[in-house]
């Protein structure tokens, strides 16, 4: 493995640690909007991790998974936001 691959894998590991720390906000967020935003950021973070793994491991199919996950993340965030607005979750 080259130095650049190690840098990509190290960056992916840092993003994994940040995702674990962000999981606290998704569980303990004071409002529903904080939780929705945290879940959206976790999804975006996962896409970044997959892209870094694709570059670090030289596996381009990880990018396909990252693209599909990004689309699903967007749709789930819109659905959750619509659900909370219909329930009166927006002040």
């Amino acid at each position: 493995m080259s130095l650049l691959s190690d840098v990509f894998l190290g960056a992916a590991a840092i993003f994994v640690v940040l995702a674990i720390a962000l999981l606290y906000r998704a569980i303990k967020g004071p409002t529903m909007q904080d939780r929705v935003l945290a879940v959206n950021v976790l999804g975006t973070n996962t896409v970044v991790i997959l892209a870094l793994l694709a570059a670090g491991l030289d596996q381009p199919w990880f990018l396909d998974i990252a693209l599909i996950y990004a689309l699903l993340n967007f749709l789930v965030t819109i659905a959750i936001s619509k659900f909370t607005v219909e329930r009166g979750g927006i002040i």
Side-chain angles (χ1 to χ4, degrees):
M1 294 183 95
S2 69
L3 176 65
L4 192 58
S5 294
D6 291 339
V7 170
F8 284 139
L9 293 177
I14 290 170
F15 274 102
V16 167
V17 170
L18 291 174
I20 292 169
L22 187 62
L23 193 59
Y24 173 77
R25 178 57 61 195
I27 294 171
K28 294 290 238 180
T31 65
M32 181 59 104
Q33 289 80 20
D34 289 331
R35 291 183 181 118
V36 170
L37 185 62
V39 169
N40 189 12
V41 173
L42 276 169
T44 303
N45 199 1
T46 304
V47 171
V48 171
I49 291 168
L50 286 170
L52 287 170
L53 286 176
L57 298 175
D58 196 27
Q59 298 291 326
W61 56 272
F62 275 133
L63 289 176
D64 297 335
I65 295 171
L67 182 62
I68 292 169
Y69 193 82
L71 293 171
L72 287 174
N73 182 41
F74 173 73
L75 292 175
V76 167
T77 302
I78 295 297
I80 291 173
S81 296
K82 184 175 176 6
F83 177 73
T84 57
V85 167
E86 287 178 357
R87 279 191 29 195
I90 302 294
I91 297 175

